């Protein structure tokens, strides 16, 4: 019976990672249609997307304390309900149409994503401890798989001119059914002590709590934070702007822009499911460097190639590059010194800073110089990660793959892995 309960719990977690992936990509694939319905410029659309970033940051800052006080189950439930509510509000805002409602919906959506992020990772780490097998890499792969499925559905809906409001309403209903089914397998009380107990004479901060001052003075940790900033910006830029970039920058129609995003999501999924294999053989620094090179090549071709086929194909390199940089750097932060949770909390917040400022900044630049030119900023950050990749080598290569699967501190330090897992 215990084994059956653990299997059901693991399957429930697969659904709980899969669900936000579907919801996120459903929104992203319809951004060209929403932009047209709202009649917004690129810069104004960046301000609308700012609601998602602010919500995500508030959610991640609050989630650690909520898990430590209430456990994972209620936080997962609340976070997922906020995602569903946000999807419904976006649907209403696109139907009215109202930019304010869409912004409010994105805020709720982001708060749910950021708030539930820590809880599902704590629960996944607990399943790993019980079973002794790697679960977290597959869970994060499920999020990316959800973006592929949701993106494919969004592409089909776009091609069929299916109304955005009805499309997102259907997604919200499906997500509600998945939540009701999955939540029954998640036990109560998980994470209350794990989120607050840390080794050593004094407790360490969790995401949402201020890191100890000496953490800010660790040069190696700040370099890891720079890697996270660059790779989070690469992932977030695609999640926020890729369909519009292909429509406005390369002349594709909305359906083809959605198809390109599906390709990006598929490349992310492939990278995350295969990441442990490469980490075990080449180590973190080599994987981060290869990821940054792949991402830089993809961005370079998307920005400077006038051939839409070349640009669309290059998005696959962009997706592969963005898939592992963020989660591998988070694991490296946990091994960079004592007080592991505080270290990863700091680095995760740096990553969410990229999600916070990225959309409006790129929107502002895109409004003045075009989206393709705006992506040069992302390219510069990703290229810098190639140079500072050695900072990710904080442990022996043989242990690198284990770190992605089993966090050194069984708590929320995997919080930012799939935002854009997200992401």
């Amino acid at each position: 019976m215990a084994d059956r309960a653990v299997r059901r719990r693991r399957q429930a977690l697969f659904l709980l990672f899969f669900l936000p992936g579907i919801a996120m990509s459903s929104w992203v694939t319809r951004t060209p249609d929403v932009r047209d319905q709202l009649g917004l410029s690129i810069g104004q659309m960046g301000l609308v997307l700012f609601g998602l970033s602010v919500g995500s940051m508030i959610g991640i800052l609050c989630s650690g304390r909520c898990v430590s006080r209430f456990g994972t189950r209620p936080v997962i439930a609340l976070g997922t309900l906020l995602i569903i509510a946000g999807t419904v509000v976006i649907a209403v805002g696109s139907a009215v149409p109202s930019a304010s409602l869409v912004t409010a919906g994105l805020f709720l959506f982001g708060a749910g994503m950021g708030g539930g992020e820590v809880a599902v990772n704590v629960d996944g780490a607990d399943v790993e401890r019980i079973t002794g097998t790697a679960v977290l890499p597959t869970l994060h792969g499920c999020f990316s798989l959800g973006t592929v499925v949701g993106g494919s559905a969004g592409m089909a809906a776009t091609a069929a001119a299916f109304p955005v409001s009805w499309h997102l309403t259907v997604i919200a209903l499906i997500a509600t059914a998945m939540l009701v089914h999955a939540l029954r397998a998640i036990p109560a009380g998980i994470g209350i002590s794990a989120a607050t107990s840390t080794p050593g004479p004094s407790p360490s901060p969790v995401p949402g709590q201020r890191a100890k001052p000496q953490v800010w003075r660790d040069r190696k940790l700040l370099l890891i934070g720079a890697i996270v900033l660059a790779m989070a910006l690469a992932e977030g830029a695609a999640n926020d702007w890729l369909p519009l970039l292909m429509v406005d920058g390369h002349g594709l129609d909305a359906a083809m822009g959605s198809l390109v995003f599906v390709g990006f999501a598929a490349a992310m999924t492939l990278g995350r499911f295969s990441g442990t294999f490469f980490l075990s053989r080449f180590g973190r620094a080599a994987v981060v460097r290869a990821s940054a090179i792949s991402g830089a090549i993809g961005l370079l071709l998307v920005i400077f190639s006038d051939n839409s086929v070349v640009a669309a194909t290059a998005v696959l390199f962009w997706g592969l590059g963005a898939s592992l940089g963020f989660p591998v750097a988070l694991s490296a932060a946990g091994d960079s010194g004592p007080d592991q949770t505080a270290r990863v909390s700091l680095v995760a917040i740096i990553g969410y800073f990229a999600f916070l400022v990225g959309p409006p900044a790129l929107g502002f630049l895109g409004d003045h110089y075009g989206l393709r030119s705006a992506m040069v900023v992302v390219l510069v950050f990703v290229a810098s990660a190639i140079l500072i990749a050695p900072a990710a080598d904080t442990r022996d290569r043989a242990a690198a793959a284990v770190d992605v699967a089993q966090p050194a501190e069984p708590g929320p330090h995997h919080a930012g892995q799939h935002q854009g897992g997200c992401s």
Side-chain angles (χ1 to χ4, degrees):
M1 291 295 292
D3 289 344
R4 182 182 299 177
V6 172
R7 284 198 302 271
R8 289 182 63 244
R9 183 179 172 191
R10 183 167 53 190
Q11 292 166 0
L13 287 171
F14 290 157
L15 282 179
L16 291 168
F17 272 82
F18 187 74
L19 185 158
I22 288 182
M24 173 63 78
S25 58
S26 297
W27 148 252
V28 171
T29 53
R30 303 311 299 268
T31 50
D33 291 328
V34 173
R35 189 273 307 269
D36 292 343
Q37 289 179 358
L38 297 178
L40 301 179
S41 67
I42 293 294
Q44 291 169 329
M45 193 65 181
L47 292 176
V48 169
L49 289 170
F50 192 60
L52 178 66
S53 303
V54 172
S56 298
M57 179 62 81
I58 292 175
I60 197 68
L61 290 175
C62 296
S63 56
R65 291 177 179 173
C66 291
V67 169
S68 67
R69 182 170 182 179
F70 303 110
T72 59
R73 192 172 191 268
V75 178
I76 289 173
L78 178 60
T80 309
L81 285 172
L82 285 175
I83 291 173
I84 294 169
T87 303
V88 172
V89 174
I90 295 169
V92 174
S94 65
V96 172
S98 168
S100 298
L101 273 178
V102 172
T103 305
L106 287 171
F107 174 83
L108 293 175
F109 193 107
M113 289 279 288
E117 187 104 350
V118 168
V120 290
N121 279 283
V122 170
D123 219 282
D126 189 62
V127 172
E128 284 191 334
R129 289 193 297 272
I130 293 171
T131 62
T133 59
V135 175
L136 283 172
T138 305
L139 291 178
H140 291 291
C142 284
F143 173 86
S144 296
L145 181 61
T147 63
V148 174
V149 174
S152 300
M155 177 189 66
T158 301
F162 192 66
V164 176
S165 56
W166 285 107
H167 173 200
L168 295 182
T169 300
V170 170
I171 295 298
L173 291 174
I174 293 172
T176 301
M178 292 172 67
L179 173 62
V180 171
H181 174 75
L183 200 60
R184 292 178 295 182
I186 305 298
I190 302 299
I192 292 179
S193 59
T196 57
S197 307
T198 55
S202 60
S204 302
V206 295
Q209 296 175 325
R210 187 167 54 189
K212 293 183 178 180
Q214 60 265 32
V215 171
W216 288 89
R217 296 199 293 265
D218 189 321
R219 180 174 176 273
K220 192 176 188 70
L221 183 63
L222 292 179
L223 287 174
I224 295 172
I227 294 172
V228 168
L229 181 67
M231 304 314 287
L233 186 61
E235 182 179 350
N239 286 338
D240 291 328
W241 292 111
L242 185 54
L244 279 173
L245 173 63
M246 300 309 296
V247 170
D248 291 356
H250 288 283
L252 301 183
D253 61 30
M256 288 303 297
S258 298
L259 177 61
V260 171
F261 176 77
V262 171
F264 174 86
M268 287 274 293
T269 304
L270 176 63
R272 284 178 169 165
F273 277 120
S274 61
T276 301
F277 172 85
F278 291 104
L279 285 165
S280 64
R281 283 155 180 78
F282 303 108
R284 287 194 189 124
V287 169
V288 170
R289 183 180 289 111
S291 296
I293 291 173
S294 176
I297 290 172
L299 281 160
L300 191 69
L301 292 174
V302 169
I303 294 167
F304 295 107
S305 174
D306 291 325
N307 187 310
S308 59
V309 175
V310 171
T313 304
V315 166
L316 300 178
F317 290 95
W318 184 354
L320 283 173
S323 63
L324 287 175
F326 196 6
V328 171
L330 284 175
S331 290
D335 295 324
S336 62
D339 207 356
Q340 294 160 324
T341 307
R343 289 173 175 273
V344 184
S345 173
L346 171 62
V347 171
I349 289 173
I350 291 174
Y352 268 82
F353 178 77
F355 292 120
L356 179 66
V357 303
L362 292 174
F364 175 81
L365 292 173
D367 214 20
H368 288 77
Y369 306 106
L371 273 178
R372 284 172 63 178
S373 298
M375 291 298 155
V376 171
V377 175
V378 184
L379 174 60
V380 170
F381 273 91
V382 173
S384 70
I386 301 173
L387 302 177
I388 58 178
D393 255 345
T394 51
R395 292 187 64 185
D396 293 336
R397 290 184 177 187
V402 177
D403 297 327
V404 176
Q406 297 177 343
E409 191 68 22
H413 80 251
H414 281 264
Q417 284 189 20
H418 61 261
Q419 178 54 38
C422 68
S423 144

